[in-house]
Amino acid sequence: PTLKALGHACFALSSETHTVIFDPWLSGNPEAAMGPDDVQADALLVSHGHSDHLGDAIAIALRLDIPIIAPYELAMYCARQGATVHAMHIGGGATYDFGYVKLTTALHGSAIIGDDLIEYTGPPCGFMVTMQETTVYYAGDTGLFGDMELLGDLNRIDVAILPIGDNFTMGPDDALYAVGLLEPELVVPMHYSAFDVISQDAHEFARRVKQVKADCTARVLKPGEETQI
Ligand code: NI
Ligand code: MN
């Protein structure tokens, strides 16, 4: 498969036949590598309701008539906006045409923040996706948690996409610790430069990963860059 960074926490995971998009925030994303109207995909995986993750999911799902895969409460919100959804919840997995998806814990919040209403959209999640025997752990927005060790024990993780921005999620030090728990072959940092408050040096993080974990590679993907996994 191919992993392509689309900016901030938005990534496309593709086989020859299918594409899924994680957290499609493109409109208003200062790093967006494409506009929401350019997206072609078979499903959208949305980790939580914050605007920098739910983003353009509903518009894209409606335009392409593809499902939004999300935690139940967030999925019900999307369904109310007319989108096709497949609701799941943490610890549960399901098989799709493109592969297998299991929802994982994330330590974070999840809500739609409106002008005069905050609508709770359930717990946030991460995704463990297996596409053509390649397993990708997309952590979502999360702090470090000890059960990452369990995720590492239960899955042979080829790629871990981890937030390093600090402030709202793990910073580089905790993300480095997470690498030790998850033991992925490749680490791709995310969520570190769209806002000043989460600004981090991703290349420095990648160097530290290689120093600390000799058997693990780290790759910084600039928006629009892709890598074979
Ligand atoms: Ni968030
Ligand atoms: Mn976020």
Side-chain angles (χ1 to χ4, degrees), residues 8-9 23 25 47-48 50-53 108 140-142 163 168-169 191 195 198:
H8 189 56
D23 286 1
W25 177 46
S47 66
H48 63 295
H50 293 162
S51 58
D52 59 319
H53 298 264
H108 195 64
D141 277 9
T142 187
F168 297 118
T169 68
H191 210 275
F195 322 117
I198 60 171

Side-chain angles (χ1 to χ4, degrees), residues 121-136:
T121 45
C125 75
F127 296 101
M128 193 73 72
V129 179
T130 301
M131 178 185 273
Q132 290 184 328
E133 326 223 319
T134 297
T135 296
V136 175

Side-chain angles (χ1 to χ4, degrees), residues 18-47:
H18 293 88
T19 295
V20 295
I21 310 273
F22 296 99
D23 286 1
W25 177 46
L26 297 167
S27 308
N29 177 349
E31 308 193 321
M34 64 172 65
D37 294 341
D38 303 320
V39 170
Q40 291 298 331
D42 299 283
L44 305 174
L45 277 57
V46 182
S47 66

Side-chain angles (χ1 to χ4, degrees), residues 94-147:
T95 300
Y96 299 88
D97 287 349
F98 61 83
Y100 181 75
V101 177
K102 190 169 179 178
L103 264 57
T104 58
T105 310
L107 293 182
H108 195 64
S110 181
I112 314 288
I113 315 289
D115 290 335
D116 53 6
L117 177 76
I118 295 179
E119 181 160 348
Y120 175 61
T121 45
C125 75
F127 296 101
M128 193 73 72
V129 179
T130 301
M131 178 185 273
Q132 290 184 328
E133 326 223 319
T134 297
T135 296
V136 175
Y137 172 52
Y138 177 90
D141 277 9
T142 187
L144 177 64
F145 55 91
D147 281 351

Side-chain angles (χ1 to χ4, degrees), residues 40-93:
Q40 291 298 331
D42 299 283
L44 305 174
L45 277 57
V46 182
S47 66
H48 63 295
H50 293 162
S51 58
D52 59 319
H53 298 264
L54 178 61
D56 303 294
I58 291 162
I60 295 169
L62 289 172
R63 177 174 63 81
L64 296 176
D65 192 22
I66 58 171
I68 292 173
I69 299 168
Y72 179 80
E73 294 83 357
L74 176 57
M76 291 304 102
Y77 173 85
C78 295
R80 215 167 70 227
Q81 313 301 315
T84 302
V85 299
H86 187 129
M88 298 182 67
H89 234 308
I90 291 165

